[in-house]
Amino acid sequence: MEALLIVDEPIQSISVIKTQPIFEKYIHDSAYVRNAIVEINYNNLNYKLKFRNKEDGKVGYYLDNQSILVEPNITYNLKITLPNGKVITGSTTTPNRIQWTKKAKDNIQYPIDSLKLPPTDTIAWTKAPGIDFYLVSVTCLDTLEYGKYLDPPTAEKNRRIWRPFRQDRFYREITSISPIANTQSTIVWDIFRWYGLQEVRIYAPDWNYLRWYIQAQARQELDPLLSSLEGAYGYFGSASVIKDTSFLIKNQP
């Protein structure tokens, strides 16, 4: 199962997933357990979550009172009771908020010489107490349109950024994410997959979320040491997040 709480956002998208037969076609939607009892408690408050299907928004268990937001520096406890009576538990302490100290420029020129890719301006943010590693995420917000964001607008379409070491499967994901062990970074060109409008996010992850990132990105098999749940494999983690948008200008028309 996977559950991530984001500071200053509602409780949502908590996924309870079961394994499926390896010799049958895998259908991700069929893996969701929809009839579990999912509860979150903190500060002597207890909430029972509801399940939301994909057609209703973000799939998974969520707190129907979306005005209740995740608070920083609070310990949240998760309890899941499966239909067969099995119980899964986890706990996370949310990181403090972080803030930008230096944002990326509104418009960033991708290097004309795509072989050298020299470093460019730095982005920076405040440190969250107790957090040593951060996750930098870049998402292309529009893989189709490009010229509509120019001044004046044009009909020019967006395109992928070609790099010789990439295979075509890398472009199926519009988001790239990478860890960093400090609170500033130059703009790393290889993190971009498309030109155009980009959303940049910085995550200050708790230990549960960070080690599950390591599990998902760096392990070829499931490592129980990277799980943070009792009674199941997966994680119940949290993070503080800041985000901003920038426009990546093509190196050639």
Side-chain angles (χ1 to χ4, degrees), residues 224-243:
L225 295 177
L226 299 177
S227 180
S228 58
L229 299 171
E230 294 291 335
Y233 291 113
Y235 80 99
F236 176 47
S238 57
S240 293
V241 180
I242 52 174
K243 53 188 175 182

Side-chain angles (χ1 to χ4, degrees), residues 25 28 40 74 78 85 91 102 118 148 176 194 235 238:
K25 181 180 178 180
H28 185 68
I40 283 184
I74 296 291
L78 174 70
S91 179
K102 187 177 182 181
K148 66 181 284 186
S176 298
W194 297 78
Y235 80 99
S238 57

Side-chain angles (χ1 to χ4, degrees), residues 9-10 22-23 36 59 68 71 114 129 156 170 174 196 217 239 243:
E9 293 188 9
I22 61 174
F23 296 111
V59 66
I68 298 175
E71 301 177 37
S114 60
E156 185 177 356
F170 282 95
I174 60 174
Q217 298 295 323
K243 53 188 175 182

Side-chain angles (χ1 to χ4, degrees), residues 126-166:
T126 57
K127 178 176 175 57
I131 304 298
D132 296 317
F133 285 87
Y134 299 82
L135 301 176
V136 181
S137 167
V138 174
T139 301
C140 180
L141 297 179
D142 194 337
T143 59
L144 180 62
E145 301 296 339
Y146 178 87
K148 66 181 284 186
Y149 303 100
L150 301 177
D151 186 16
T154 71
E156 185 177 356
K157 298 300 181 182
N158 203 355
R159 62 179 170 86
R160 301 169 179 171
I161 298 173
W162 184 84
R163 299 289 285 150
F165 58 82
R166 284 179 176 163

Side-chain angles (χ1 to χ4, degrees), residues 123-128 130-137 177-186 188 202-205 207 210 213-214:
I123 58 173
W125 54 94
T126 57
K127 178 176 175 57
I131 304 298
D132 296 317
F133 285 87
Y134 299 82
L135 301 176
V136 181
S137 167
I177 188 167
S178 180
I180 184 170
N182 51 59
T183 56
Q184 66 177 30
S185 174
T186 56
V188 180
I202 307 297
Y203 290 81
W207 174 230
L210 179 62
Y213 168 83
I214 296 172

Side-chain angles (χ1 to χ4, degrees), residues 40-175:
I40 283 184
N41 70 77
Y42 66 99
N43 289 348
N44 296 318
L45 299 171
N46 190 78
Y47 295 102
K48 185 176 291 186
L49 308 188
K50 296 181 178 180
F51 186 84
R52 175 166 54 194
N53 289 305
K54 187 180 298 184
E55 59 267 20
D56 300 324
K58 296 182 178 180
V59 66
Y61 290 90
Y62 75 106
L63 181 59
D64 58 353
N65 186 347
Q66 296 283 278
S67 67
I68 298 175
L69 305 181
V70 175
E71 301 177 37
N73 201 27
I74 296 291
T75 297
Y76 288 79
N77 300 297
L78 174 70
K79 179 181 178 182
I80 299 171
T81 306
L82 299 177
N84 63 3
K86 184 177 181 179
V87 175
I88 302 168
T89 59
S91 179
T92 179
T93 299
T94 53
N96 284 340
R97 297 181 180 93
I98 56 175
Q99 303 292 334
W100 291 107
T101 57
K102 187 177 182 181
K103 294 183 178 181
K105 293 180 179 179
D106 291 339
N107 295 287
I108 304 172
Q109 174 65 64
Y110 194 88
I112 304 300
D113 186 344
S114 60
L115 295 178
K116 294 182 179 179
L117 295 179
T120 185
D121 294 334
T122 298
I123 58 173
W125 54 94
T126 57
K127 178 176 175 57
I131 304 298
D132 296 317
F133 285 87
Y134 299 82
L135 301 176
V136 181
S137 167
V138 174
T139 301
C140 180
L141 297 179
D142 194 337
T143 59
L144 180 62
E145 301 296 339
Y146 178 87
K148 66 181 284 186
Y149 303 100
L150 301 177
D151 186 16
T154 71
E156 185 177 356
K157 298 300 181 182
N158 203 355
R159 62 179 170 86
R160 301 169 179 171
I161 298 173
W162 184 84
R163 299 289 285 150
F165 58 82
R166 284 179 176 163
Q167 299 178 6
D168 188 67
R169 64 184 178 88
F170 282 95
Y171 298 110
R172 297 175 184 174
E173 278 288 345
I174 60 174
T175 298

